[in-house]
């Protein structure tokens, strides 16, 4: 798992057997934790992988969650849940122009009964997608 912060907790679920160790920092702005697969995969074999990330920022970050897809991924499922006491005003599903570019496309979405937004993509390839909101 790669992130631009170490102010987070990663919990593994289906398809994993735990974390290989603590976060490490191979580059100045990159934090990585290795996740152990529940079983080795043969070449071409697929598996469902489920994990949950909770962020614990000391200072408020930008109001967004982005996932960068460098090659391609099938069945990408992104869910962002908000604290009931800190709900956003508006939330949009967004596609950014590159990793650090502006929002190129957006679609307004609404919170569900669990104060979350959700998007499933059958296929994502060389893109940056996620949610952006305002308070």
């Amino acid at each position: 798992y790669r992130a631009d912060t170490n102010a987070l907790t990663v919990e593994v679920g289906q398809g994993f057997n735990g974390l290989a160790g603590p976060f490490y920092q191979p580059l100045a702005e990159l934090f990585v934790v290795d996740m152990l697969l529940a079983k080795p995969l043969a070449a071409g074999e697929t598996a469902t992988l489920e994990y949950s990330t909770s962020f614990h920022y000391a200072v408020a970050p930008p109001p967004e969650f982005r996932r960068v897809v460098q090659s391609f991924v099938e069945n990408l499922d992104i869910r962002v849940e908000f604290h009931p006491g800190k709900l956003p005003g508006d939330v949009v599903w967004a596609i950014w122009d590159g990793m650090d570019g502006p929002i190129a496309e957006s679609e307004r979405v609404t919170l569900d009964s669990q104060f979350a937004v959700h998007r499933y993509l059958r296929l994502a390839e060389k893109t940056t997608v996620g949610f952006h909101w305002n308070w």
Side-chain angles (χ1 to χ4, degrees), residues 21-78:
F23 274 89
Y24 58 95
Q25 194 172 4
L27 301 171
E29 295 182 11
L30 182 66
F31 297 88
V32 176
V33 67
D34 296 321
M35 299 184 288
L36 301 170
L37 293 176
K39 68 178 188 85
L41 298 177
E45 184 179 1
T46 62
T48 297
L49 303 176
E50 180 181 60
Y51 60 89
S52 176
T53 307
S54 299
F55 294 92
H56 314 284
Y57 291 104
V59 176
E64 63 193 25
F65 178 82
R66 299 184 192 196
R67 178 49 76 204
V68 177
V69 179
Q70 294 179 341
S71 57
F72 73 92
V73 65
E74 293 182 50
N75 303 313
L76 177 63
D77 198 5
I78 300 174

